[in-house]
Amino acid sequence: MPQHTRDWEVRLHLFEDGTTTKAHAVLDIGNTAVTGQGTARRNPHDRDIPEIGDELAAGRAMNDLAHKLLSIAQTDIEGVSRPGP
C-alpha cells in the first residue's frame, strides 16, 4: 500500500499595538484555508518583552486553528459514517 504524505504550511502573522499582540494563523489544506486567532495583552505594569506576547498570541492562534481543524475532521467523519441514499 502506497504511503500517503502531504506538506501543509501554516502562515503566522503577528501584529503588536501598544500592550496588545494579535496573531492570525492560516493553514492552507488544498481546497480551503483554516484560520485561527489569538491575542495576548500585557499588563501595563509589566516589563515590555515583545517575545512573550508573540509566543502567547501565536500559541493561542495555533490552538484556535487546531480546534477548528478537529471540528472539520469530525464533520467529515460524520459525513462518511452516514449511509448514502
Side-chain angles (χ1 to χ4, degrees), residues 11-76:
R11 289 184 312 277
L12 192 57
H13 309 278
L14 298 166
F15 311 92
E16 188 176 338
D17 184 18
T19 59
T20 302
T21 302
K22 294 183 180 182
H24 179 77
V26 181
L27 171 65
D28 183 353
I29 58 175
N31 57 350
T32 190
V34 183
T35 63
Q37 309 296 326
T39 302
R41 289 180 185 84
R42 178 178 56 84
N43 183 319
H45 301 291
D46 289 343
R47 288 179 39 209
D48 185 10
I49 305 173
E51 294 81 11
I52 294 173
D54 292 350
E55 293 163 351
L56 284 170
R60 290 171 178 162
M62 296 291 286
N63 189 45
D64 184 42
L65 186 143
H67 284 283
K68 289 178 180 177
L69 189 57
L70 289 169
S71 179
I72 290 168
Q74 182 63 39
T75 299
D76 291 346

